[in-house]
Amino acid sequence: MKTIHTTYESIKNNEPITLTIGNFDGLHIGHQNLIEKVKKFSDTKSAVMTFFPHPMSVITNKELPILMDISDKERALKMMHVDIFMVVEFTKAFSKLEKLEFIEWLKSLQVKRIVVGRDFKFGHKGSGSVDDLKQHFEVLVVEDLLYKDTRVSTTYIKLLLEQGDMKLARKLLNKSYSIHGEVIHGDKVGKMIGYPTANIDYKNHFLPKIGVYAVIVEIGDKTYLGCANLGHNPTINYSTTRRLEVFIMDYDGNLYEKEITVSFEYYLRDEIKYDKVEAMLEQIKKDVEQTYNLLKNKNMIKYD
C-alpha cells in the first residue's frame, strides 16, 4: 500500500482511482463494508482518503477524542489490501473550498469513481452532496450498515465503550478496542504494593468506562495478559485526570518510554474507593485471577 501524507495543495496522483472519503475513526464494520466496495473495481486502484487533524478539531479548536490515530488506520488499511491511503492535512483554508473547487480538486487526483454513504457532504459548510458528485463522477452510494436496527457508527461505538459494553463494541469494530501509548513515570505505588503497573500516556485516544479490565498487552512482537485500571485512583494518590495503568503478568523489564498497546477484552468491575489498603490488595488479587482465567488461552479466545 502506498501512503500519501501531504497538504491538499501538494497532493498528486497519476493513476485512475476509485475513491472513498471520510474520517474512518475506528474503521468499524460499516467502514469496512464501504472499503470492500471500493476494492471490487478492477479498472482502477483502490484509494481511501482521510484527513488530519480531525476536521471538527480544526473547525471548533477543540481536540476530539479518537478511536484510531493515523498510524492505526494505516496498519488496518494495509491489512485490508487497499492500494493507496491518502492523508490530507485539514486546515481552515481547505475547509473553505467551495463544492465546485473541491470537485475540481478531486478531478486533478484522477478520480474516476467515488464510493460514499448517502449522507456524504463535502465542501465549505457541507454545501456539496452526493447529487453534486454524480454530475462529475461515477458514484456508488452505499447504504448504512445496521445492527439490530441501529446504524453502525463511530458515535454509537463510543457510547458502547462508555457503557463498558466491550462485547458489542468488539463485534462492531471487528476487533477488540485498543489504545497505544508511551509508558510514562507514575507514582510507583503499584510497585510498592506488589503489583507494578505501566502508566500509559494515552494522548487523545477515546477512553472507555472507568473501571477495571482484563486486557491483552502488546510489547514489540510479544503479547502478555494484563489487568488494567482506568480511573482516578481513589484509594491511594487520587488523580483528577483519568489514568490508564496496567499490571502485566509474567513481564519483568523496564518499559519507560516504550510504546505498548492495550486491548480491552473484558470489563471486570467499577473502580472502588477502599477504606483499607489491605481490602484493595485482596480485590486486586481477585482481579488478576479473574483476568488469567478469562484470557489464559489468549491465542484461542472465543468470545461469547
Side-chain angles (χ1 to χ4, degrees):
M1 184 180 78
K2 178 169 71 173
T3 298
I4 304 170
H5 195 158
T6 185
T7 63
Y8 83 94
E9 299 100 333
S10 303
I11 190 169
K12 294 179 181 179
N13 176 61
N14 298 316
E15 48 193 340
I17 57 174
T18 294
L19 176 70
T20 186
I21 308 170
N23 292 309
F24 303 110
D25 192 18
L27 270 173
H28 55 63
I29 57 174
H31 296 144
Q32 292 170 32
N33 178 54
L34 193 74
I35 292 166
E36 288 301 321
K37 299 288 192 298
V38 172
K39 290 165 51 184
K40 78 173 188 175
F41 297 98
S42 58
D43 60 339
T44 55
K45 295 286 189 180
S46 59
V48 174
M49 178 185 288
T50 194
F51 307 102
F52 181 81
H54 193 290
M56 289 307 297
S57 296
V58 174
I59 293 168
T60 64
N61 290 316
K62 294 180 180 179
E63 193 170 54
L64 185 73
I66 56 173
L67 300 180
M68 271 185 165
D69 63 18
I70 293 298
S71 64
D72 293 326
K73 294 176 187 178
E74 185 174 16
R75 281 191 295 270
L77 291 172
K78 189 174 183 179
M79 290 178 66
M80 292 182 70
H81 304 291
V82 168
D83 294 319
I84 304 171
F85 180 35
M86 297 176 168
V87 183
V88 179
E89 181 182 350
F90 195 88
T91 62
K92 289 193 175 180
F94 182 55
S95 74
K96 292 177 181 177
L97 286 182
E98 297 297 337
K99 62 182 181 181
L100 290 179
E101 293 177 299
F102 194 96
I103 286 170
E104 290 304 315
W105 176 67
L106 291 179
K107 288 180 179 179
S108 74
L109 299 177
Q110 310 306 313
V111 175
K112 177 177 180 178
R113 184 182 297 110
I114 297 178
V115 181
V116 289
R118 187 169 299 281
D119 60 352
F120 178 75
K121 301 292 183 184
F122 65 95
H124 185 49
K125 294 185 177 180
S127 58
S129 67
V130 169
D131 289 337
D132 294 308
L133 292 176
K134 286 180 177 179
Q135 296 178 36
H136 300 270
F137 307 98
E138 179 184 338
V139 178
L140 174 62
V141 176
V142 179
E143 297 298 332
D144 290 338
L145 191 65
L146 301 180
Y147 178 78
K148 294 184 178 180
D149 298 326
T150 299
R151 176 175 173 264
V152 178
S153 68
T154 301
T155 300
Y156 181 46
I157 291 169
K158 285 181 174 180
L159 176 62
L160 294 173
L161 293 172
E162 286 179 334
Q163 295 171 343
D165 192 345
M166 313 314 288
K167 178 181 176 182
L168 185 50
R170 181 187 302 114
K171 186 178 185 71
L172 301 186
L173 288 170
N174 206 20
K175 70 177 192 67
S176 299
Y177 179 58
S178 63
I179 290 175
H180 63 85
E182 183 180 307
V183 177
I184 57 177
H185 289 276
D187 298 318
K188 311 290 194 300
V189 171
K191 187 174 182 179
M192 288 188 292
I193 63 176
Y195 291 96
T197 58
N199 189 23
I200 300 167
D201 180 5
Y202 49 79
K203 296 183 180 176
N204 65 324
H205 278 90
F206 184 84
L207 296 178
K209 182 179 179 180
I210 287 176
V212 179
Y213 292 84
V215 301
I216 290 178
V217 183
E218 295 176 38
I219 304 172
D221 59 355
K222 295 184 178 180
T223 58
Y224 300 85
L225 308 187
C227 191
N229 187 84
L230 173 61
H232 299 281
N233 299 345
T235 304
I236 302 176
N237 289 338
Y238 177 82
S239 171
T240 54
T241 59
R242 285 176 288 180
R243 289 185 176 182
L244 175 57
E245 298 175 292
V246 187
F247 170 66
I248 306 169
M249 300 181 201
D250 300 319
Y251 183 84
D252 183 20
N254 183 6
L255 286 175
Y256 291 121
E257 298 183 356
K258 290 184 179 179
E259 185 165 290
I260 68 174
T261 299
V262 178
S263 295
F264 296 81
E265 305 298 331
Y266 295 97
Y267 182 82
L268 301 183
R269 63 173 177 85
D270 293 339
E271 187 178 48
I272 301 170
K273 185 180 188 305
Y274 297 92
D275 295 329
K276 295 181 179 181
V277 173
E278 291 79 10
M280 182 184 72
L281 290 173
E282 185 61 32
Q283 183 60 55
I284 291 174
K285 182 180 178 181
K286 292 178 181 178
D287 295 336
V288 171
E289 289 175 353
Q290 185 181 1
T291 294
Y292 179 77
N293 290 329
L294 286 169
L295 302 179
K296 58 186 175 183
N297 297 317
K298 65 178 183 297
N299 294 325
M300 300 173 62
I301 294 177
K302 293 183 179 179
Y303 300 106
D304 296 334

